[in-house]
């Protein structure tokens, strides 16, 4: 790959007669791994804290970069398609928060479980969905990850339980998944996410109680992006120390814009759960560039200056990029090539998502019940007698 | 520690000394079993049959507590992750707090996920009027839950119903709302040997004709089935022959059974404990009108229902808030024009 870059770039240099000569870089030129000093996480009812000196390899760095960039571009493309009215209804975008999803996934296993609320496209990707099937779900096509029947807030894949539309409802569900893990005697855990808006909900406190009582292997994660819809945390919560709200559950407050912080904290939390200590709570301090959803411009309750400041100083992708470049772990060209690759993937996915046909009408009445003989379904009028298809053991 | 959690969640209710069930002396062709015992025995057997089945709720084993929305969500999550929970509500009135989890997390998920995520869960508990528990603890939720696609809703009447339907509900891969009745728990019924066997199941979606008749059809569910049979006994003495249908399942409704009966008797009375508006009887009326039985009706369908008020406390008021046998008798005669 590097030889190709160098050939291309040399060719460019010759064409442009550019003064800046780009020379070929060999594999051996890059640092294979580096140690990074990261921000210390605040702890609550914990004697130890996640490590502040962490190692990242070049391969890891490139993979994180690629995934975060894919996530970013995918969300921006969704924005575009929404404005073209090709995506309808709800669309809650994740750009700005990439370090959370990618950092968490870096420290859990595919056999672990994860559930989140409606800002879920990023997690659908990290948990195994493809950009193609995510976008086709947003556009409501048959190639969508839920065959077009779920939409933005209802995407599922193995060990990923969505995508949940009712604020806070996913938290008890997540503890239930963790209960199943413990019940089965596996070392699996469940990562259970919610936002600063949901954090004041009663059912979350009910869940904290039962999770602690039964020592369930659940990592509660509050993605605090400072705003619950249009309400800032200061206006919403009597206590904005979300990592302490579990009271009897130990907590961590983590810089959610730094993927290495998120990764390290998740590693720490996962170990806590797997060693049978019960639940733990992580607050990830993060930020969303978009408004709450595509119906919210996002600038009536916060200033453009604030958004711009976060973008310029704390963007998770930029932070990672700087780290990779300044530690000689990758080259500008290499990262640009990843960008080009990602752009193409997104374009192809968008192309698919806009051309794939909608689900056939026969799909209307399917998937009401699992493992059930065909069900008669009443249509819009008494003569419209519809029927679900026969599904045997799906 | 996993084992003790499992034990905690799988300790069935202490089945009260069940007379002769499972013993050698099962020579008696019929045995008297209360609804409560029938339920407990079914639970114990299903817990034993499948390791993934467990109990969670407000009144389970050693567990007291009322964290309704939380534990319902936990139960649904466990079902999503492959277990088969039985989620108990102390009464279905409390399920109103947890109803979001029942509808939005349980009922709709298989559809929203286009078949990727089944939710094999049973929600059970006493439903409807009890005795002296007043307005907040006496509502019938049959219509509320039966309104929603993605749920199955069953309402057993006697011990055989309770046993067979609970087993089916637990073995079903979908969310089932299992509406019991507090006043029926202590009532004993004869149970045949067949109905006491470990794999005795009653299909969901099939009603049972408890009493054959020629003049008029009475359709009911839960406790009111008993009232209908009592009314039928009285009416028989006056030469009125009632066919009594025990719905057993509210959703899906066994319309075929109802229609078949109406085509025979030409008269229909629905009897339920719940409120009249938008209720089970209302749905039956609509379905009969839309189907083949309409032309066989010699009179409009009559609905006998609970009074359209919050349930009062004083005994005389409470007694007059739900259908009594005399109300059924009166309605039958009115429908027949006698």
């Amino acid at each position: 790959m590097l030889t190709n870059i160098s050939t291309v770039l040399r060719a460019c240099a010759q064409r442009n007669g550019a003064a800046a000569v780009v020379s070929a870089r060999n594999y051996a030129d890059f640092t294979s791994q580096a140690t990074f000093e990261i921000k210390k996480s605040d702890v609550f009812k914990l004697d130890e804290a996640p490590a502040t000196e962490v190692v990242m390899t070049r391969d890891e760095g490139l993979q994180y970069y690629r995934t975060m960039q894919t996530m970013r571009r995918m969300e921006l493309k969704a924005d575009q398609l929404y404005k073209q009215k090709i995506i309808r209804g709800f669309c809650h975008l994740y750009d700005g928060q990439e370090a959370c999803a990618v950092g968490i996934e870096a420290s859990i296993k595919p056999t672990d479980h994860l559930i989140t609320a409606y800002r879920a496209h990023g997690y659908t990707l990290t948990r195994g969905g493809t950009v193609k099937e995510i976008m086709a779900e947003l556009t409501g096509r048959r190639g969508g990850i839920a065959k077009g029947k779920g939409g933005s807030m209802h995407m599922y894949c193995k060990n990923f339980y969505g995508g949940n539309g009712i604020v806070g409802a996913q938290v008890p569900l997540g503890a239930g998944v963790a209960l199943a893990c413990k019940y089965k005697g596996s070392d699996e855990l469940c990562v259970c996410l919610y936002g600063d808006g949901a954090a004041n909900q009663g059912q979350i406190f009910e869940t904290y109680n039962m999770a602690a009582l039964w020592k369930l292997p659940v990592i509660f994660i509050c993605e605090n992006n400072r705003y619950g819809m249009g309400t800032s945390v200061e206006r919403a919560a009597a206590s904005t120390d979300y990592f302490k709200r579990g009271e009897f559950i130990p907590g961590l407050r983590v810089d959610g814009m730094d993927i290495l912080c998120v990764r390290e904290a998740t590693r720490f939390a996962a170990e806590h759960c797997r060693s049978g200590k019960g639940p733990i709570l992580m607050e990830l301090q993060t930020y969303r560039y978009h408004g709450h959803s595509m119906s919210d411009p996002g600038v009536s309750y916060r200033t453009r200056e604030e958004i711009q400041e976060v973008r310029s100083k704390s963007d998770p992708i930029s932070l990672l990029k700087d780290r990779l470049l300044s530690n000689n772990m990758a080259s500008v060209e290499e990262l640009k090539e990843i960008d080009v690759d990602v752009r193409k993937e997104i374009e192809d996915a968008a192309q698919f998502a806009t051309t794939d046909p909608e689900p056939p009408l026969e799909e209307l009445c399917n998937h009401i019940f699992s493992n059930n003989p065909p069900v008669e379904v009443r249509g819009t009028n008494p003569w419209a007698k519809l029927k679900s298809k026969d599904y045997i053991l799906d | 520690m996993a084992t003790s959690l499992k034990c905690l969640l799988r300790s069935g209710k202490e089945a009260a000394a069940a007379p002769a069930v499972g013993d050698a002396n099962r020579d008696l062709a019929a045995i008297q079993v209360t609804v409560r015992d029938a339920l407990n025995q079914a639970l114990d057997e299903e817990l034993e049959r499948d390791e993934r089945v467990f109990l969670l709720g407000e009144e389970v084993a050693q567990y007291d507590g009322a964290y309704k929305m939380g534990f319902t969500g936990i139960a649904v999550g466990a079902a999503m992750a492959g277990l088969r929970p039985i989620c108990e509500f102390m009464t279905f009135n409390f399920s109103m707090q947890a109803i979001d989890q029942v509808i939005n997390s349980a009922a709709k998920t298989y559809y929203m996920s286009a078949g990727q995520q089944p939710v094999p869960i049973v929600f059970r508990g006493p439903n409807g009027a009890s005795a002296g528990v007043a307005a907040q603890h006496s509502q019938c939720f049959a219509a509320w839950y039966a309104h929603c696609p993605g749920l199955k809703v069953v309402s057993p009447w006697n011990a055989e119903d309770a046993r067979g339907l609970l087993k089916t509900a637990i073995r079903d891969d979908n969310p089932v709302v299992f509406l019991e009745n507090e006043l029926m728990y202590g009532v004993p019924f004869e149970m045949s040997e067949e109905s006491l066997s470990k794999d005795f199941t009653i299909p969901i979606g099939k009603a049972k004709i408890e009493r054959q008749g020629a003049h008029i059809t009475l359709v009911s569910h839960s406790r009111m089935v008993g009232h209908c049979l009592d009314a039928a006994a009285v009416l028989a003495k006056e030469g009125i022959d009632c066919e009594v249908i025990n719905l057993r399942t509210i959703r899906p409704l066994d319309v075929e059974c109802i229609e078949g009966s109406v085509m025979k008797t030409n008269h229909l009375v629905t009897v339920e404990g719940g409120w009249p508006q938008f209720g089970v009887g209302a749905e039956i009326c609509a379905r009969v009108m839309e189907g083949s039985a309409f032309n066989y009706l010699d009179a409009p369908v009559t609905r006998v229902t609970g009074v359209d008020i919050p349930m009062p406390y004083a005994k005389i008021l409470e007694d007059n808030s739900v259908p009594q046998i005399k109300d059924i008798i009166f309605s039958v005669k009115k429908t027949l024009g006698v």
Side-chain angles (χ1 to χ4, degrees):
Chain A
M1 185 178 82
L2 284 162
T3 339
N4 291 341
I5 298 174
S6 68
T7 319
V8 166
L9 290 168
R10 282 215 189 93
C12 287
Q14 279 160 6
R15 274 204 300 277
N16 300 345
V21 173
V22 179
S23 54
R25 302 279 296 274
N26 286 321
Y27 219 130
D29 286 352
F30 292 119
T31 320
S32 64
Q33 66 177 51
T35 309
F36 297 90
E37 191 72 35
I38 57 174
K39 212 182 284 175
K40 188 175 198 306
S41 296
D42 297 321
V43 297
F44 173 69
K45 297 213 167 152
L46 279 167
D47 296 324
E48 291 169 345
T52 49
E53 245 187 47
V54 300
V55 172
M56 181 175 69
T57 68
R58 178 184 132 79
D59 285 344
E60 283 170 346
L62 289 173
Q63 189 237 308
Y64 301 155
Y65 180 83
R66 177 182 284 270
T67 313
M68 290 205 286
Q69 193 68 292
T70 305
M71 208 177 280
R72 175 69 58 92
R73 298 261 134 233
M74 178 178 78
E75 295 294 79
L76 293 179
K77 177 56 80 173
D79 168 286
Q80 214 177 63
L81 292 174
Y82 194 93
K83 286 170 177 154
Q84 295 174 279
K85 298 198 202 293
I86 298 171
I87 297 177
R88 319 169 306 125
F90 288 123
C91 195
H92 306 85
L93 297 177
Y94 198 68
D95 51 312
Q97 301 187 210
E98 295 85 357
C100 297
V102 182
I104 290 168
E105 192 65 33
S107 286
I108 60 173
K109 307 179 199 171
T111 46
D112 288 325
H113 308 261
L114 190 140
I115 189 170
T116 185
Y118 44 75
R119 201 173 303 282
H121 310 156
Y123 289 99
T124 315
L125 188 69
T126 52
R127 288 262 89 198
T130 63
V131 180
K132 215 163 132 175
E133 53 192 3
I134 292 170
M135 301 219 74
E137 187 59 36
L138 290 174
T139 56
R141 307 302 165 101
R142 63 181 70 184
I145 199 167
K147 302 191 179 158
K149 296 174 87 166
S152 169
M153 302 191 295
H154 308 297
M155 302 191 188
Y156 304 80
C157 57
K158 192 169 196 316
N159 295 340
F160 175 56
Y161 304 84
N164 288 274
I166 308 295
V167 176
Q170 76 279 8
V171 178
L173 293 178
V177 172
L179 184 142
C181 295
K182 181 162 180 174
Y183 186 102
K184 292 189 225 176
S186 73
D187 76 334
E188 295 160 19
L189 53 81
C190 183
V191 176
C192 179
L193 294 128
Y194 55 96
D196 49 279
N200 299 310
Q201 270 219 3
Q203 59 185 322
I204 293 186
F205 294 90
E206 289 184 39
T207 310
Y208 288 159
N209 182 49
M210 281 178 276
L213 208 52
W214 290 334
K215 289 191 153 56
L216 301 180
V218 50
I219 304 176
F220 294 111
I221 301 188
C222 177
E223 280 181 294
N224 177 6
N225 60 18
R226 305 196 213 166
Y227 298 93
M229 284 184 60
T231 307
S232 69
V233 293
E234 294 79 33
R235 291 203 303 127
S239 162
T240 53
D241 289 335
Y242 295 102
F243 71 117
K244 292 185 185 171
R245 300 285 288 278
E247 197 190 337
F248 33 76
I249 296 179
L252 294 168
R253 182 165 50 195
V254 179
D255 179 0
M257 304 305 268
D258 180 347
I259 192 181
L260 294 181
C261 284
V262 179
R263 185 186 77 168
E264 201 54 41
T266 307
R267 176 178 299 158
F268 180 92
E271 206 193 283
H272 177 101
C273 282
R274 284 192 233 279
S275 61
K277 297 195 182 117
I280 186 167
L281 207 168
M282 261 167 61
E283 177 188 341
L284 299 178
Q285 294 186 304
T286 184
Y287 199 83
R288 53 164 163 82
Y289 295 141
H290 268 85
H292 166 72
S293 72
M294 286 305 296
S295 339
D296 169 25
V299 286
S300 58
Y301 47 86
R302 52 184 193 172
T303 62
R304 286 182 209 275
E305 288 73 45
E306 179 189 284
I307 305 170
Q308 203 26 56
E309 181 164 358
V310 176
R311 244 191 234 282
S312 55
K313 297 205 178 124
S314 318
D315 183 275
I317 301 177
S318 301
L319 287 180
L320 177 63
K321 186 173 172 178
D322 289 344
R323 277 197 175 123
L324 290 172
L325 292 176
S326 54
N327 285 275
N328 194 31
M329 294 174 82
S331 70
V332 172
E333 299 78 29
E334 190 172 18
L335 295 181
K336 275 213 174 87
E337 195 178 271
I338 293 178
D339 290 350
V340 168
D341 245 7
V342 166
R343 238 174 261 262
K344 179 162 196 318
E345 188 183 352
I346 305 303
E347 279 309 313
D348 287 349
Q351 177 64 14
F352 175 74
T354 48
T355 54
D356 196 40
E358 288 189 283
L361 278 181
E362 292 77 57
E363 267 299 320
L364 198 63
C365 299
N366 294 335
H367 307 120
I368 297 170
F369 290 130
S370 171
N371 202 14
N372 213 72
V375 176
E376 261 180 28
V377 177
R378 200 220 195 252
T380 58
N381 63 72
W383 297 273
K385 287 190 171 63
L386 310 173
K387 207 167 183 161
S388 74
K389 282 216 300 261
D390 188 32
Y391 278 84
I392 327 260
L393 261 180
D394 47 355
Chain B
M1 204 177 293
T3 345
S4 54
L5 177 71
K6 207 160 150 177
C7 286
L8 172 72
L9 296 169
R10 282 168 56 81
S11 45
K13 293 191 196 290
E14 281 82 51
V21 175
D23 282 6
N25 38 329
R26 282 229 319 244
D27 295 337
L28 306 158
I31 294 166
Q32 292 272 321
V33 182
T34 62
V35 171
R36 178 187 294 113
D37 287 343
L39 290 168
N40 286 342
Q41 284 154 31
L43 276 172
D44 283 342
E45 287 165 18
E46 293 303 301
L47 281 164
E48 201 190 301
R49 177 181 178 270
D50 188 339
E51 251 205 347
R52 299 167 299 170
V53 177
F54 72 96
L55 303 168
L56 188 63
E58 293 176 288
E59 199 198 288
V60 177
Q62 313 135 12
Y63 216 56
D64 285 312
Y67 329 108
K68 293 133 198 151
M69 190 134 92
F71 77 69
T72 311
I74 286 181
V76 176
M80 290 179 176
L83 298 184
R84 304 184 74 92
I86 299 167
C87 180
E88 297 198 5
F89 295 117
M90 196 166 290
T91 78
F92 264 97
N93 299 281
F94 302 128
S95 76
M96 269 208 284
Q97 290 199 300
I99 202 167
D100 171 64
Q101 296 289 1
V102 177
I103 307 299
N104 283 318
S105 302
K108 297 178 184 171
T109 296
Y110 193 68
Y111 189 87
M112 291 193 294
S113 68
Q116 283 170 87
Q117 183 60 74
V119 187
I121 188 169
V122 176
F123 300 101
R124 61 171 287 237
N127 174 61
S130 178
V133 292
Q136 293 181 345
H137 290 75
S138 306
Q139 187 173 333
C140 174
F141 287 86
W144 280 37
Y145 285 116
H147 187 59
C148 300
L151 285 182
K152 298 185 186 185
V153 181
V154 299
S155 183
W157 164 55
N158 61 12
E160 183 179 304
D161 288 354
R163 179 180 169 76
L165 286 172
L166 186 56
K167 279 174 172 285
T168 306
I170 292 168
R171 297 180 192 192
D172 199 308
D173 288 341
N174 299 285
V176 181
V177 171
F178 193 87
L179 303 171
E180 299 163 15
N181 188 294
E182 179 149 3
L183 298 172
M184 296 302 295
Y185 281 148
V187 180
F189 289 91
E190 237 169 58
M191 288 188 76
S192 66
E193 198 172 314
E194 190 222 336
S195 68
L196 290 166
S197 73
K198 285 221 160 83
D199 284 319
F200 172 72
T201 56
I202 290 176
I204 291 178
K206 284 272 165 280
K208 183 180 179 206
I209 299 176
E210 298 284 352
R211 184 190 193 282
Q212 301 255 10
H215 299 145
I216 187 164
T217 303
L218 301 179
V219 179
S220 186
H221 72 100
S222 189
R223 185 153 177 267
M224 293 292 139
V225 174
H227 282 28
C228 287
L229 289 169
D230 291 345
V234 173
L235 287 161
K237 296 194 186 116
E238 298 178 46
I240 297 173
D241 192 26
C242 301
E243 179 145 291
V244 177
I245 297 179
N246 171 9
L247 282 173
R248 286 180 158 177
T249 302
I250 311 292
R251 182 180 180 116
L253 204 59
D254 190 352
V255 187
E256 219 178 282
C257 179
I258 300 171
E259 286 178 326
S261 178
V262 169
M263 293 199 279
K264 188 175 70 168
T265 67
N266 313 120
H267 298 85
L268 178 58
V269 175
T270 69
V271 184
E272 68 198 284
W275 292 319
Q277 298 196 39
F278 305 90
V280 176
E283 176 65 18
I284 292 173
C285 286
R287 300 282 273 270
V288 165
M289 278 216 299
E290 288 176 351
S292 42
F294 173 68
N295 287 312
Y296 289 77
L297 284 171
D298 285 346
V301 179
T302 297
R303 294 178 297 160
V304 177
T305 68
V307 178
D308 204 9
I309 51 170
M311 180 67 70
Y313 168 65
K315 186 158 193 339
I316 188 175
L317 296 179
E318 185 183 62
D319 287 346
N320 283 278
S321 301
V322 288
Q324 299 180 36
I325 294 167
K326 63 173 168 68
D327 297 317
I328 302 172
I329 293 169
F330 174 80
S331 299
V332 165
K333 289 182 174 170
K334 280 290 251 191
T335 310
L336 286 169
V338 299

